[in-house]
Amino acid sequence: MAHRALRIIVAAALAGSVLTACTTEPATTGTTGKGSSDGKLVLGFAQVGAESGWRTANTKSIREAAEKAGITLKFSDAQQKQENQIKAIRTFIQQKVDVIAFSPVVESGWDTVLKEAKNAGIPVILTDRAVDSQDTSLYRTFLGSDFVKEGQEAGKWLVKEYEGSSAPVNLVELQGTTGSAPANDRKAGFADAIKGDPKFKVVASQTGDFTRAKGKEVMQAFLKSHEDIDVLYAHNDDMALGAIQAIEEAGKKPGVDIKVISVDGIKDAFVAMQEKKINVVVECNPLLGDQLMDLAKKVAAGESVPRRVEVKEGVFTQDQAAAALPGRQY
């Protein structure tokens, strides 16, 4: 019996050491968490992917802010696939993290997994992109940009640029990922801004999936199908930069022969504006990390937070590019 008792004690000690090794997290301060053995706040974040310079800056901001705030970050890259994000969120639920945050790949199809998080008592924060769920109790707050407003700002610039002219203006549009909030909203906002003037005609509109390579590919197809393109409206800078390559390879001057309107505000786009290849960029700020960590602490503590938290953004033209470029952080 003594030998058996000794074996039980040793086995229990080993099991305890394995559990501790698997669940110990980097130190944090001030919040008791369910997701780590040392009582620290744990944030599970499911990122869209790394499809653009904007997204890379967004991820960097979140990682750095978590470390600065003393929050343990469990990070997942969905590679632009909704099923990967859903799997990551379910893993976070199983790990009993304190807060879940994610940037939805697309707007629809989230209710089931978000109900699972709600039933587990884990608050959810949406970042950058929204969901179209009718049940707003499934998430605590949204942190990000007003994509409709961004589209409207792009359209307003275009209307002003062609003010006083009655000649037809043929536009092509590079949409973001099909079904995503920024693609839907930037398209809607732009269409709303130009609808009052019949001279503007969108002759082609297709997804470039927010990537530089796809932007170039789709623009090449546009140029083959439409001889007279006056303006390109791209839902993000990476697609615009890819399209610029296609325009140049076709023997045309981007920014002159074909005016280029883009959204995001990455450094490469400001360089292109300085080179007169992009005419205007509507800013979409990716540096959400500090605000996200602040919200994560508040919702984990049960504090009330606004339903929507927006970031400050601007509109930049070619004459502003040189002065603004040195200060760009992404």
Side-chain angles (χ1 to χ4, degrees):
M1 289 294 290
H3 289 299
R4 183 169 180 269
L6 180 61
R7 286 198 302 272
I8 292 171
I9 291 169
V10 171
L14 286 171
S17 67
V18 170
L19 181 61
T20 302
C22 290
T23 57
T24 298
E25 302 286 355
T28 65
T29 57
T31 313
T32 300
K34 302 185 293 295
S36 66
S37 63
D38 53 9
K40 312 304 180 181
L41 178 66
V42 181
L43 170 66
F45 186 82
Q47 182 60 285
V48 172
E51 75 283 2
S52 63
W54 190 99
R55 189 65 57 191
T56 301
N58 180 241
T59 292
K60 185 172 183 281
S61 171
I62 290 166
R63 288 188 184 278
E64 290 179 351
E67 184 175 358
K68 184 170 67 174
I71 290 176
T72 297
L73 180 67
K74 293 182 179 291
F75 185 92
S76 173
D77 181 337
Q79 299 178 327
Q80 292 185 273
K81 295 181 180 178
Q82 183 179 31
E83 59 267 30
N84 290 347
Q85 276 194 316
I86 291 173
K87 183 179 179 181
I89 292 169
R90 287 192 168 128
T91 298
F92 295 151
I93 294 169
Q94 291 169 0
Q95 292 172 337
K96 299 182 179 178
V97 302
D98 297 290
V99 181
I100 292 172
F102 75 113
S103 298
V105 175
V106 294
E107 287 190 293
S108 60
W110 299 103
D111 280 28
T112 299
V113 72
L114 291 183
K115 284 175 183 175
E116 292 170 18
K118 182 179 178 181
N119 292 338
I122 301 174
V124 172
I125 298 172
L126 303 179
T127 73
D128 172 42
R129 300 179 178 187
V131 298
D132 65 2
S133 173
Q134 297 300 309
D135 186 356
T136 57
S137 73
L138 297 179
Y139 58 93
R140 289 289 302 278
T141 185
F142 165 84
L143 168 64
S145 304
D146 185 336
F147 299 134
V148 173
K149 184 179 178 182
E150 290 170 357
Q152 288 172 337
E153 291 294 339
K156 285 178 185 176
W157 179 89
L158 182 66
V159 170
K160 187 174 180 181
E161 180 71 6
Y162 285 90
E163 195 173 22
S165 170
S166 58
V169 180
N170 292 330
L171 298 94
V172 293
E173 180 180 32
L174 281 169
Q175 298 180 40
T177 302
T178 302
S180 68
N184 293 342
D185 292 351
R186 286 172 187 165
K187 181 179 178 64
F190 185 77
D192 180 65
I194 67 171
K195 68 182 180 183
D197 195 330
K199 70 170 169 279
F200 296 116
K201 183 180 180 183
V202 178
V203 296
S205 182
Q206 188 175 324
T207 181
D209 217 17
F210 284 128
T211 68
R212 201 168 297 199
K214 194 70 182 292
K216 179 180 180 180
E217 178 188 322
V218 176
M219 190 66 198
Q220 286 172 331
F222 286 165
L223 289 163
K224 288 177 182 177
S225 302
H226 304 277
E227 291 183 7
D228 190 14
I229 297 173
D230 300 303
V231 178
L232 162 66
Y233 168 46
H235 289 190
N236 84 333
D237 292 335
D238 279 85
M239 291 190 296
L241 292 164
I244 285 169
Q245 294 175 15
I247 293 168
E248 289 178 327
E249 289 173 9
K252 296 178 181 290
K253 289 185 178 180
V256 180
D257 298 325
I258 298 177
K259 295 186 187 298
V260 180
I261 305 169
S262 186
V263 183
D264 269 358
I266 63 173
K267 281 184 179 179
D268 286 353
F270 275 73
V271 171
M273 270 201 293
Q274 203 171 13
E275 295 172 347
K276 309 299 184 185
K277 295 179 180 181
I278 291 180
N279 300 82
V280 63
V281 168
V282 179
E283 185 179 38
C284 182
N285 189 351
L287 308 180
L288 311 179
D290 290 337
Q291 288 175 285
L292 175 58
M293 299 311 142
D294 181 57
L295 288 170
K297 287 181 178 180
K298 286 179 178 177
V299 299
E303 296 178 26
S304 97
V305 294
R307 287 294 298 170
R308 185 178 182 91
V309 180
E310 291 186 10
V311 294
K312 292 182 179 179
E313 298 166 340
V315 179
F316 297 86
T317 53
Q318 289 178 349
D319 58 345
Q320 299 168 306
L325 182 56
R328 302 309 292 174
Q329 297 180 52
Y330 53 96

